[in-house]
Amino acid sequence: MGTKIIGTGSCLPETIVTNDDLAKIMDTSDEWISTRTGIKERHLAKDETTAGMSAAAARKAMENAGVTAQDIDLIIVGTVTADHITPSCACEVQAAIGADNAVAFDINAACSGFMFALNIAHAYLQTGACKTALIIGAETLSKIMDWDDRSTCVLFGDGAGAAVLQKSDRGGLLAFDQGSDGAKGSVLSCADRTNNNPLVKTPRELGYVHMDGQEVYRFAVTTVPQSLTRTIEAAGLSVQDIDYFALHQANIRILQAVAKRLKVSEERLPVSLDHCGNISAASVPILLDEMNRKGLLKPGMKVAMSGFGGGLTWASAVLEW
Ligand code: COA
């Protein structure tokens, strides 16, 4: 028995901010950002919230899947930028869409969040703990960026992507690979509030994203091809059997390096980072939704997916569409 994605949806904030727009407010240029990252523009939230974008993406995914909110009995949101510490983003989505029968919780695996959610939902579905799962990757990263750090803030955007999953008789998820390396967590980090109580008085300073770009780059171009290769082999397939590689959208140079290491043409790695930037946990489901709505995904096609980022964390999956 497999686990199938039966519907996808996504939501991006209304406001588009181009590289030229950023060049008006900081010392950068379209040329620097485009050549080093492939990013041309990103959507940034004004009134939109992580839960609001998640609920909008969820509604589209449910419509695409042909299920109602009453059918959903599990909601998992991968996010590092929920609107509240509690309630979770998943509980807010549950309330917004009226999925009264669902168990709902968030997970934090940064840019691998959607992929981790996929594996957790797979386990719930396969044990019979749930029948129809809604998984979401959603971020309002712009609120945790240091807008004075031009080497980091230009890379990221806001948005949400969702997928509805059910058990299936054939196809679906064929193999999964997942890992973490907490010892290297400091290369991509964001501090939360610190102890502040009658015993410890500290200023209430909230943290912003701090990244060692070159270390993260090295991690990605080494780990992602290895993880994808392991997953494809575990699925009993070869790299050439994979129709599309739906990878986390961090940087075009990372995608090109992965394509080169796997010896596959870049056309098999669809791109959304040019108009979205890096949206952490939301990148993979937004890309998948774009592929789905463009009609790229046909039944029987093999899709390899991979998420990687903060933690450090990574996760890959091969699924038959
Ligand atoms: N605009 C213009 N110049 C910039 C800039 C910007 N937005 N950001 C940095 N620079 C400058 C630096 O100050 C530096 O100038 P200097 O040489 O005078 O000191 C120069 O550009 C090169 O900086 P460097 O950090 O060495 O660039 P890089 O080639 O390593 O590229 C990244 C930086 C972030 C694009 C690259 O390291 C990367 O893509 N890393 C992976 C990041 C990632 O994907 N993170 C998320 C993973 S989930």
Side-chain angles (χ1 to χ4, degrees):
M1 275 287 206
T3 295
K4 237 181 158 70
I5 293 181
I6 61 164
T8 62
S10 60
C11 171
L12 292 167
E14 206 179 312
T15 309
I16 295 172
V17 177
T18 65
N19 293 342
D20 286 332
D21 292 334
L22 289 182
K24 289 181 196 142
I25 56 167
M26 65 183 77
D27 183 13
T28 191
S29 64
D30 176 49
E31 198 271 334
W32 193 97
I33 302 171
S34 301
T35 52
R36 280 185 173 71
T37 71
I39 297 164
K40 302 293 287 181
E41 57 190 37
R42 73 287 293 140
H43 293 243
L44 298 186
K46 274 179 157 175
D47 301 326
E48 296 89 350
T49 60
T50 306
M53 292 187 286
S54 299
R59 286 190 190 97
K60 290 181 191 163
M62 289 190 297
E63 194 188 349
N64 186 235
V67 302
T68 69
Q70 292 301 309
D71 297 321
I72 304 291
D73 48 8
L74 174 68
I75 302 173
I76 310 176
V77 180
T79 185
V80 293
T81 49
D83 304 309
H84 304 102
I85 291 174
T86 192
S88 68
C89 184
C91 283
E92 293 196 280
V93 171
Q94 176 189 25
I97 65 175
D100 307 328
N101 304 317
V103 169
F105 57 90
D106 292 356
I107 56 147
N108 175 342
C111 304
S112 314
F114 178 81
M115 298 300 296
F116 275 46
L118 175 63
N119 204 16
I120 298 168
H122 172 57
Y124 268 70
L125 286 161
Q126 294 303 316
T127 58
C130 81
K131 289 197 164 55
T132 305
L134 170 66
I135 60 169
I136 299 170
E139 305 287 5
T140 313
L141 291 172
S142 57
K143 69 185 177 189
I144 58 167
M145 285 302 136
D146 176 355
W147 289 94
D148 291 326
D149 177 4
R150 64 177 180 168
S151 64
T152 301
C153 68
V154 300
L155 306 180
F156 295 94
D158 301 330
V164 177
L165 313 175
Q166 277 181 350
K167 229 166 156 177
S168 71
D169 294 337
R170 54 168 201 87
L173 204 50
L174 304 177
F176 212 95
D177 178 69
Q178 220 174 336
S180 309
D181 184 359
K184 297 214 181 87
S186 62
V187 303
L188 181 48
S189 64
C190 180
D192 200 349
R193 55 184 70 189
T194 50
N195 285 354
N196 183 40
N197 59 35
L199 308 176
V200 188
K201 288 284 176 208
T202 49
R204 277 187 177 268
E205 272 182 26
L206 294 180
Y208 293 99
V209 170
H210 175 77
M211 182 178 73
D212 179 339
Q214 292 182 2
E215 271 303 316
V216 175
Y217 184 88
R218 269 192 286 277
F219 155 71
V221 300
T222 314
T223 308
V224 176
Q226 288 171 350
S227 174
L228 281 168
T229 304
R230 271 196 302 274
T231 319
I232 293 165
E233 281 172 11
L237 300 171
S238 79
V239 167
Q240 295 315 326
D241 296 322
I242 304 298
D243 296 285
Y244 287 111
F245 293 82
L247 307 189
H248 172 47
Q249 301 286 298
N251 182 315
I252 196 73
R253 292 192 305 168
I254 293 176
L255 297 183
Q256 289 164 343
V258 172
K260 198 169 166 200
R261 287 195 189 198
L262 294 179
K263 299 192 176 64
V264 298
S265 68
E266 285 172 31
E267 292 83 69
R268 284 157 70 192
L269 278 66
V271 172
S272 61
L273 61 82
D274 55 340
H275 57 278
C276 291
N278 177 346
I279 321 181
S280 190
S283 282
V284 171
I286 290 173
L287 178 69
L288 210 57
D289 185 48
E290 288 188 0
M291 293 166 67
N292 189 19
R293 283 168 201 274
K294 280 181 194 155
L296 295 181
L297 300 168
K298 313 270 187 240
M301 273 188 168
K302 309 289 188 301
V303 183
M305 301 152 74
S306 195
F308 52 92
L312 298 172
T313 56
W314 63 92
S316 303
V318 172
L319 57 88
E320 186 178 310
W321 193 254

